Amino acid sequence: MKFRGGYLSRHVNSRWPTQACCLALEFRKSFMDEWSGRLDRERFDELKDSFARVVAALEDRIDG
């Protein structure tokens, strides 16, 4: 059964439609081996840096 999720974003967006915007993000676990739990540090750091750039761009857009 697939996890549908999205409850937090629906709650926030319906309760505070003009004050908040909550996005449900999903990441494919390409940064780790799900069976062993072993982290691919290089891939993880790439994804973390990409995410930080997106957040910074969104903050600039909101503040801008």
Side-chain angles (χ1 to χ4, degrees):
M1 179 180 200
K2 185 176 179 182
F3 176 69
R4 294 183 49 101
Y7 300 111
L8 177 63
S9 59
R10 280 196 295 274
H11 172 74
V12 169
N13 291 334
S14 68
R15 185 160 183 167
W16 300 284
T18 60
Q19 293 89 9
C21 178
C22 181
L23 305 173
L25 303 176
E26 184 174 331
F27 287 90
R28 182 170 175 250
K29 290 190 181 118
S30 61
F31 56 89
M32 66 177 286
D33 180 334
E34 290 190 65
W35 295 104
S36 69
R38 182 179 298 146
L39 178 67
D40 178 342
R41 174 54 69 178
E42 183 177 342
R43 181 70 178 136
F44 179 80
D45 288 342
E46 288 173 2
L47 290 170
K48 184 175 70 170
D49 293 343
S50 295
F51 187 71
R53 286 193 301 275
V54 168
V55 169
L58 290 173
E59 288 175 338
D60 287 346
R61 179 92 173 168
I62 291 168
D63 294 339

